[in-house]
Amino acid sequence: MTFPFKLVATDLDGTLLRGDETVSERTREALAAATSAGAAHIVVTGRSVPWTRHILDDLGYDGLAVCGQGAQVYHAGEHKLLTSLTLDRQLAGLALSKVEAEVGPLALAASRDGLEGEVLVGPGYQVHEGRLPYVFVEDASEMWAAPLNKVYLQHPELDDDALATAARAAVGNLVDVVMAGPGVVEILPLGLSKATGLSLAARRLGVKAADTIAFGDMPNDIPMFGWARHGVAMANAHDTLKAVAHEITASNEHDGIAVVLEELLRTGSVAAMPH
Protein backbone atom coordinates (compact mmCIF):
# COMPACT_ATOMS: atom_id res chain seq x y z
CA MET A 1 0.00 0.00 0.00
CA THR A 2 1.42 3.41 -0.97
CA PHE A 3 1.42 6.12 1.69
CA PRO A 4 -0.29 9.13 0.07
CA PHE A 5 1.97 11.88 1.49
CA LYS A 6 5.68 12.63 1.25
CA LEU A 7 5.71 14.99 4.24
CA VAL A 8 4.04 14.73 7.65
CA ALA A 9 4.17 18.11 9.44
CA THR A 10 3.31 18.08 13.15
CA ASP A 11 2.99 20.88 15.66
CA LEU A 12 4.45 20.05 19.10
CA ASP A 13 2.42 21.38 22.05
CA GLY A 14 -1.14 20.12 22.16
CA THR A 15 -0.51 17.99 19.05
CA LEU A 16 2.50 15.65 19.02
CA LEU A 17 3.22 16.12 22.73
CA ARG A 18 0.91 15.00 25.50
CA GLY A 19 0.36 17.28 28.49
CA ASP A 20 3.45 15.84 30.22
CA GLU A 21 5.60 16.72 27.16
CA THR A 22 6.07 13.09 26.11
CA VAL A 23 5.22 11.37 22.83
CA SER A 24 3.30 8.10 23.15
CA GLU A 25 4.75 4.82 21.92
CA ARG A 26 1.80 4.41 19.55
CA THR A 27 2.43 7.81 17.94
CA ARG A 28 6.19 7.13 17.68
CA GLU A 29 5.45 3.83 15.93
CA ALA A 30 2.95 5.43 13.52
CA LEU A 31 5.44 8.14 12.58
CA ALA A 32 8.18 5.52 12.13
CA ALA A 33 5.86 3.50 9.87
CA ALA A 34 5.06 6.61 7.80
CA THR A 35 8.76 7.40 7.37
CA SER A 36 9.45 3.75 6.47
CA ALA A 37 6.76 4.17 3.79
CA GLY A 38 8.73 7.05 2.28
CA ALA A 39 7.39 10.15 4.06
CA ALA A 40 9.55 12.66 5.93
CA HIS A 41 8.37 13.83 9.36
CA ILE A 42 8.94 17.48 10.17
CA VAL A 43 8.21 19.26 13.46
CA VAL A 44 6.72 22.74 12.99
CA THR A 45 6.48 24.61 16.29
CA GLY A 46 6.04 28.06 17.73
CA ARG A 47 8.84 27.31 20.18
CA SER A 48 12.24 28.70 19.32
CA VAL A 49 15.15 26.27 18.93
CA PRO A 50 16.42 26.38 22.54
CA TRP A 51 12.95 25.33 23.76
CA THR A 52 12.62 22.62 21.11
CA ARG A 53 16.02 20.96 20.92
CA HIS A 54 15.71 18.73 24.02
CA ILE A 55 12.42 17.28 22.77
CA LEU A 56 13.86 16.51 19.34
CA ASP A 57 16.91 14.90 20.94
CA ASP A 58 14.66 12.72 23.13
CA LEU A 59 12.71 11.63 20.03
CA GLY A 60 15.95 10.68 18.28
CA TYR A 61 14.83 13.17 15.65
CA ASP A 62 17.62 14.13 13.25
CA GLY A 63 15.79 15.86 10.39
CA LEU A 64 14.75 19.46 9.82
CA ALA A 65 12.47 21.32 12.23
CA VAL A 66 10.68 24.62 11.77
CA CYS A 67 10.85 26.64 15.00
CA GLY A 68 9.91 30.10 16.25
CA GLN A 69 6.60 30.27 14.30
CA GLY A 70 8.51 29.77 11.04
CA ALA A 71 11.40 32.11 11.82
CA GLN A 72 13.95 29.31 12.16
CA VAL A 73 14.75 26.23 10.08
CA TYR A 74 16.87 23.97 12.29
CA HIS A 75 18.81 20.81 11.42
CA ALA A 76 18.27 18.63 14.50
CA GLY A 77 20.87 15.99 13.55
CA GLU A 78 23.61 18.60 13.09
CA HIS A 79 22.36 20.97 15.84
CA LYS A 80 22.63 23.72 13.27
CA LEU A 81 20.47 26.76 12.49
CA LEU A 82 19.97 26.89 8.71
CA THR A 83 17.79 30.00 8.44
CA SER A 84 16.75 32.60 10.97
CA LEU A 85 14.52 35.64 10.59
CA THR A 86 14.56 38.36 13.24
CA LEU A 87 11.94 40.85 14.37
CA ASP A 88 12.66 44.52 13.61
CA ARG A 89 12.94 45.83 17.17
CA GLN A 90 12.05 49.40 16.22
CA LEU A 91 8.86 48.26 14.50
CA ALA A 92 8.03 45.96 17.40
CA GLY A 93 8.44 48.83 19.88
CA LEU A 94 6.16 51.04 17.79
CA ALA A 95 3.59 48.24 17.52
CA LEU A 96 3.63 47.68 21.29
CA SER A 97 3.09 51.38 21.97
CA LYS A 98 0.05 51.28 19.65
CA VAL A 99 -1.37 48.21 21.44
CA GLU A 100 -0.82 49.77 24.89
CA ALA A 101 -2.52 52.98 23.72
CA GLU A 102 -5.64 50.85 23.08
CA VAL A 103 -5.64 48.33 25.95
CA GLY A 104 -3.32 49.74 28.60
CA PRO A 105 -0.04 48.36 30.00
CA LEU A 106 1.15 44.91 28.89
CA ALA A 107 3.46 42.39 30.52
CA LEU A 108 6.18 41.32 28.09
CA ALA A 109 8.63 38.52 27.37
CA ALA A 110 10.97 38.16 24.40
CA SER A 111 12.75 35.33 22.61
CA ARG A 112 16.31 36.13 21.56
CA ASP A 113 17.58 34.94 18.21
CA GLY A 114 20.09 32.12 17.77
CA LEU A 115 20.80 28.54 18.83
CA GLU A 116 21.26 29.57 22.45
CA GLY A 117 18.76 32.44 22.41
CA GLU A 118 17.32 32.98 25.89
CA VAL A 119 13.72 33.85 26.63
CA LEU A 120 13.70 37.03 28.71
CA VAL A 121 10.71 37.61 30.98
CA GLY A 122 9.76 41.07 32.19
CA PRO A 123 7.89 42.19 35.32
CA GLY A 124 4.34 40.82 35.62
CA TYR A 125 4.63 38.23 32.85
CA GLN A 126 3.18 34.88 33.98
CA VAL A 127 5.28 31.91 32.88
CA HIS A 128 4.46 28.20 32.90
CA GLU A 129 6.56 27.30 35.94
CA GLY A 130 9.08 24.52 35.66
CA ARG A 131 8.55 23.67 32.00
CA LEU A 132 11.08 25.73 30.10
CA PRO A 133 14.13 27.84 30.95
CA TYR A 134 13.89 31.62 31.01
CA VAL A 135 15.71 34.62 32.44
CA PHE A 136 13.82 37.21 34.49
CA VAL A 137 14.77 40.83 33.78
CA GLU A 138 13.87 43.59 36.22
CA ASP A 139 14.12 46.26 33.53
CA ALA A 140 12.05 45.45 30.42
CA SER A 141 14.35 47.63 28.28
CA GLU A 142 17.00 44.86 28.58
CA MET A 143 14.86 42.76 26.22
CA TRP A 144 15.70 45.04 23.31
CA ALA A 145 19.49 44.85 23.65
CA ALA A 146 20.03 41.97 21.18
CA PRO A 147 18.23 40.54 18.09
CA LEU A 148 14.84 38.91 18.79
CA ASN A 149 12.61 36.53 16.87
CA LYS A 150 9.40 37.30 18.78
CA VAL A 151 7.83 39.23 21.64
CA TYR A 152 5.21 37.70 23.96
CA LEU A 153 2.32 39.79 25.29
CA GLN A 154 0.03 39.36 28.30
CA HIS A 155 -2.71 41.60 29.61
CA PRO A 156 -3.94 41.66 33.23
CA GLU A 157 -7.61 41.34 32.21
CA LEU A 158 -8.05 40.41 28.54
CA ASP A 159 -8.03 36.73 27.62
CA ASP A 160 -5.83 35.39 24.82
CA ASP A 161 -8.37 35.73 22.02
CA ALA A 162 -9.45 39.22 23.07
CA LEU A 163 -5.84 40.40 23.43
CA ALA A 164 -4.84 38.94 20.05
CA THR A 165 -7.84 40.57 18.36
CA ALA A 166 -7.19 43.97 19.98
CA ALA A 167 -3.47 43.83 19.23
CA ARG A 168 -4.07 42.85 15.60
CA ALA A 169 -6.44 45.79 15.16
CA ALA A 170 -3.99 48.22 16.78
CA VAL A 171 -0.77 47.28 14.97
CA GLY A 172 -2.15 47.48 11.43
CA ASN A 173 0.47 46.20 9.00
CA LEU A 174 3.56 46.83 11.15
CA VAL A 175 3.90 43.28 12.50
CA ASP A 176 1.86 40.08 12.74
CA VAL A 177 0.08 38.91 15.89
CA VAL A 178 -0.72 35.27 16.64
CA MET A 179 -2.32 33.30 19.46
CA ALA A 180 -0.14 30.22 19.81
CA GLY A 181 -1.44 28.55 22.97
CA PRO A 182 -2.87 29.21 26.42
CA GLY A 183 -1.40 32.49 27.66
CA VAL A 184 0.72 32.83 24.52
CA VAL A 185 0.05 35.86 22.28
CA GLU A 186 3.03 36.80 20.12
CA ILE A 187 4.27 39.63 17.91
CA LEU A 188 6.15 38.36 14.84
CA PRO A 189 7.76 39.87 11.73
CA LEU A 190 5.09 40.85 9.20
CA GLY A 191 4.26 37.99 6.85
CA LEU A 192 5.97 35.33 8.98
CA SER A 193 4.01 32.17 9.75
CA LYS A 194 4.51 28.45 10.15
CA ALA A 195 3.69 28.19 6.44
CA THR A 196 6.69 30.41 5.60
CA GLY A 197 9.14 28.20 7.47
CA LEU A 198 7.49 24.97 6.35
CA SER A 199 7.67 25.96 2.68
CA LEU A 200 11.40 26.75 3.07
CA ALA A 201 12.08 23.43 4.79
CA ALA A 202 9.96 21.50 2.26
CA ARG A 203 11.93 23.05 -0.58
CA ARG A 204 15.15 21.79 1.00
CA LEU A 205 13.58 18.33 1.16
CA GLY A 206 12.31 18.51 -2.43
CA VAL A 207 8.69 18.16 -1.29
CA LYS A 208 5.69 20.26 -2.34
CA ALA A 209 2.62 21.52 -0.47
CA ALA A 210 0.50 19.03 -2.45
CA ASP A 211 2.52 16.20 -0.84
CA THR A 212 1.98 17.40 2.74
CA ILE A 213 -0.35 16.47 5.61
CA ALA A 214 -0.26 18.81 8.62
CA PHE A 215 -1.44 18.34 12.23
CA GLY A 216 -2.10 21.19 14.68
CA ASP A 217 -4.23 22.60 17.49
CA MET A 218 -3.97 26.41 17.63
CA PRO A 219 -4.75 29.49 15.49
CA ASN A 220 -1.05 29.82 14.61
CA ASP A 221 -1.46 26.54 12.67
CA ILE A 222 -4.03 28.07 10.28
CA PRO A 223 -1.44 29.25 7.70
CA MET A 224 0.17 25.79 7.76
CA PHE A 225 -3.23 24.20 7.04
CA GLY A 226 -3.69 26.70 4.21
CA TRP A 227 -0.35 25.66 2.71
CA ALA A 228 -0.61 21.87 3.10
CA ARG A 229 -2.83 19.61 1.02
CA HIS A 230 -4.56 18.19 4.08
CA GLY A 231 -4.92 19.79 7.53
CA VAL A 232 -5.88 17.70 10.57
CA ALA A 233 -7.01 19.42 13.78
CA MET A 234 -6.78 17.66 17.12
CA ALA A 235 -9.97 17.14 19.15
CA ASN A 236 -8.53 19.61 21.69
CA ALA A 237 -7.89 22.25 18.98
CA HIS A 238 -9.04 25.87 19.06
CA ASP A 239 -12.37 26.36 17.27
CA THR A 240 -10.85 28.67 14.63
CA LEU A 241 -8.48 25.91 13.54
CA LYS A 242 -11.20 23.25 13.53
CA ALA A 243 -13.21 25.54 11.24
CA VAL A 244 -10.54 25.37 8.50
CA ALA A 245 -9.39 21.77 9.02
CA HIS A 246 -10.11 19.06 6.47
CA GLU A 247 -10.40 16.53 9.27
CA ILE A 248 -10.63 16.38 13.08
CA THR A 249 -8.91 13.54 14.91
CA ALA A 250 -8.62 12.40 18.53
CA SER A 251 -6.87 14.62 21.07
CA ASN A 252 -3.13 14.80 21.72
CA GLU A 253 -3.73 12.71 24.85
CA HIS A 254 -5.43 9.99 22.77
CA ASP A 255 -2.95 9.49 19.93
CA GLY A 256 -4.76 11.67 17.40
CA ILE A 257 -1.79 11.72 15.01
CA ALA A 258 -1.45 7.93 15.14
CA VAL A 259 -5.19 7.44 14.49
CA VAL A 260 -4.92 9.28 11.16
CA LEU A 261 -1.53 7.88 10.09
CA GLU A 262 -2.55 4.28 10.83
CA GLU A 263 -5.65 4.71 8.66
CA LEU A 264 -3.59 6.24 5.82
CA LEU A 265 -1.07 3.40 6.05
CA ARG A 266 -3.92 0.89 5.96
CA THR A 267 -5.94 2.38 3.08
CA GLY A 268 -3.33 4.35 1.16
CA SER A 269 -5.74 7.22 0.51
CA VAL A 270 -7.26 10.25 2.15
CA ALA A 271 -10.95 11.12 1.87
CA ALA A 272 -11.43 13.54 -1.03
CA MET A 273 -12.13 16.95 0.44
CA PRO A 274 -11.97 20.37 -1.24
CA HIS A 275 -9.06 22.55 -0.18
Side-chain angles (χ1 to χ4, degrees):
M1 194 67 72
T2 308
F3 189 72
F5 296 98
K6 293 179 184 172
L7 188 62
V8 178
T10 64
D11 171 47
L12 274 184
D13 297 280
T15 303
L16 181 62
L17 299 180
R18 295 178 288 192
D20 62 359
E21 293 208 342
T22 62
V23 180
S24 75
E25 199 55 45
R26 180 181 173 188
T27 295
R28 286 175 189 251
E29 286 173 6
L31 285 165
T35 54
S36 293
H41 170 222
I42 190 164
V43 166
V44 185
T45 178
R47 297 181 184 217
S48 55
V49 169
W51 276 8
T52 309
R53 192 168 43 209
H54 65 288
I55 291 167
L56 301 181
D57 289 346
D58 175 62
L59 280 171
Y61 182 98
D62 58 8
L64 299 183
V66 176
C67 302
Q69 302 296 8
Q72 301 169 316
V73 177
Y74 169 66
H75 194 304
E78 297 177 2
H79 291 112
K80 187 175 169 187
L81 203 53
L82 302 180
T83 65
S84 188
L85 183 66
T86 56
L87 178 63
D88 184 311
R89 284 170 280 169
Q90 198 170 352
L91 275 183
L94 178 58
L96 286 170
S97 67
K98 285 176 173 289
V99 177
E100 290 192 322
E102 293 297 323
V103 302
L106 297 164
L108 304 176
S111 175
R112 283 198 168 157
D113 185 43
L115 272 178
E116 307 298 334
E118 296 167 321
V119 172
L120 307 180
V121 170
Y125 192 92
Q126 302 296 311
V127 294
H128 296 287
E129 280 300 336
R131 285 180 58 203
L132 296 163
Y134 63 90
V135 176
F136 179 74
V137 291
E138 203 67 65
D139 180 358
S141 66
E142 288 179 45
M143 291 184 195
W144 307 96
L148 306 173
N149 54 44
K150 66 170 84 171
V151 175
Y152 300 91
L153 319 180
Q154 284 179 353
H155 190 274
E157 290 153 15
L158 296 176
D159 67 21
D160 303 327
D161 288 313
L163 176 56
T165 301
R168 213 170 280 126
V171 300
N173 59 0
L174 290 173
V175 293
D176 276 346
V177 179
V178 297
M179 202 275 267
V184 185
V185 175
E186 301 174 358
I187 280 183
L188 305 172
L190 190 65
L192 177 70
S193 73
K194 286 188 173 186
T196 323
L198 180 55
S199 65
L200 282 175
R203 199 174 306 147
R204 285 175 176 265
L205 296 170
V207 177
K208 297 181 171 63
D211 302 320
T212 304
I213 182 170
F215 294 83
D217 74 313
M218 279 290 159
N220 62 322
D221 294 314
I222 291 172
M224 179 167 72
F225 278 23
W227 184 83
R229 176 177 144 207
H230 195 74
V232 183
M234 314 305 285
N236 49 289
H238 193 279
D239 286 344
T240 58
L241 187 69
K242 286 181 176 176
V244 300
H246 297 107
E247 184 179 349
I248 297 170
T249 185
S251 74
N252 61 321
E253 298 291 345
H254 295 97
D255 302 301
I257 291 173
V259 168
V260 173
L261 294 183
E262 288 163 1
E263 180 68 10
L264 290 171
L265 287 158
R266 189 178 65 78
T267 65
S269 64
V270 65
M273 292 185 178
H275 196 286

